[in-house]
Amino acid sequence: TLDRSSAASDVYKRQDIGVEMALRTMNHLYQYGEPVIKRTIPLAIGLLRISNPEVATMDLMTKLAYDSDENISMSAIFALGLIGAGTNNSKLAQNLRLLASYYQGPTTADQLFVVRIAQGLVHMGKGLLGLNPLHSDKFLFSNVSLAGLLTVLLAATDMKTFITGKYHYFLFYLTLSIYPRMLITLNEELEPIQTQVLSLIHISEPT
């Protein structure tokens, strides 16, 4: 279930080659796995590509968002929100608008609700916030941030009960993983100070 797929996402997330290996594993699980596993694969891929709307992953999640199984479709829609969280990605936003039009109707109210959540995630903080347990170019790792993400993903495995049911407030656990995507400068007393960026700064990789 989610434990297996999210574990693979967590293990390989820090390495680019590991990410590709994990994505291939997810693809095999989706093709040959049981229905309950197929429903969690989009969530695991969302964790793997969080706040990173890579084109191939985005196209795959968009395809799964139209699946006849409503659980798979809702998981894929929610994953679209995760991979585009705080990016304001125009292609992803357009895909979500098409999904919102597609799921208009009384019988697909749950899917439409998840689409609205995904749209909110994509435009989170007007592009000034993001979701990621890794910081400083994958050098620092936050266990608390990952715990918040896994809590929401675990709740998303049962959309009817949690996200589209009575316990939608589980989404607030995402705040544990929100980080600013803007520059904040502080003085010695940790008070914010105004700065002006006059030129681009290049930081070389350590040798």
Side-chain angles (χ1 to χ4, degrees):
T1 58
L2 180 65
D3 293 337
R4 301 174 186 174
S5 50
S6 63
S9 298
D10 184 31
V11 168
Y12 296 116
K13 187 169 176 55
R14 297 196 188 195
Q15 303 176 1
D16 293 336
I17 297 177
V19 167
E20 299 302 325
M21 293 172 60
L23 286 173
R24 181 172 295 184
T25 302
M26 303 297 175
N27 187 31
H28 290 166
L29 286 173
Y30 182 79
Q31 288 181 357
Y32 306 110
E34 299 175 358
V36 66
I37 295 179
K38 291 182 178 181
R39 295 169 185 172
T40 59
I41 291 301
L43 299 174
I45 295 178
L47 174 63
L48 195 64
R49 292 289 193 188
I50 194 159
S51 286
N52 181 20
E54 193 262 337
V55 176
T57 304
M58 190 193 318
D59 292 342
L60 175 61
M61 291 297 101
T62 303
K63 177 182 176 181
L64 294 180
Y66 291 96
D67 196 277
S68 57
D69 187 323
E70 63 177 0
N71 291 295
I72 294 178
S73 64
M74 286 191 291
S75 294
I77 293 168
F78 190 70
L80 284 173
L82 292 177
I83 67 176
T87 62
N88 279 339
N89 186 280
S90 58
K91 180 180 179 181
L92 183 51
Q94 176 64 20
N95 290 340
L96 289 174
R97 284 193 292 268
L98 293 175
L99 283 167
S101 300
Y102 181 80
Y103 285 117
Q104 290 285 349
T107 60
T108 55
D110 291 341
Q111 288 94 323
L112 181 60
F113 181 65
V114 180
V115 170
R116 298 305 185 196
I117 294 174
Q119 288 177 317
L121 288 174
V122 170
H123 300 292
M124 184 171 58
K126 296 183 179 180
L128 296 179
L129 298 174
L131 293 175
N132 203 336
L134 299 174
H135 301 274
S136 302
D137 196 24
K138 302 182 181 180
F139 180 72
L140 300 177
F141 180 78
S142 172
N143 291 323
V144 175
S145 176
L146 180 63
L149 288 172
L150 290 179
T151 300
V152 175
L153 291 179
L154 186 61
T157 58
D158 189 0
M159 289 279 188
K160 292 288 187 181
T161 302
F162 290 94
I163 306 302
T164 63
K166 297 181 180 180
Y167 308 103
H168 46 76
Y169 51 80
F170 267 72
L171 289 170
F172 284 116
Y173 280 101
L174 287 176
T175 57
L176 296 174
S177 187
I178 292 177
Y179 72 99
R181 303 180 65 183
M182 78 286 282
L183 175 66
I184 301 176
T185 54
L186 307 173
N187 59 16
E188 293 83 355
E189 285 75 29
L190 299 181
E191 298 172 344
I193 57 177
Q194 292 185 353
T195 57
Q196 183 178 4
V197 179
L198 300 177
S199 61
L200 293 176
I201 301 174
H202 176 69
I203 301 176
S204 60
E205 293 291 336
T207 58

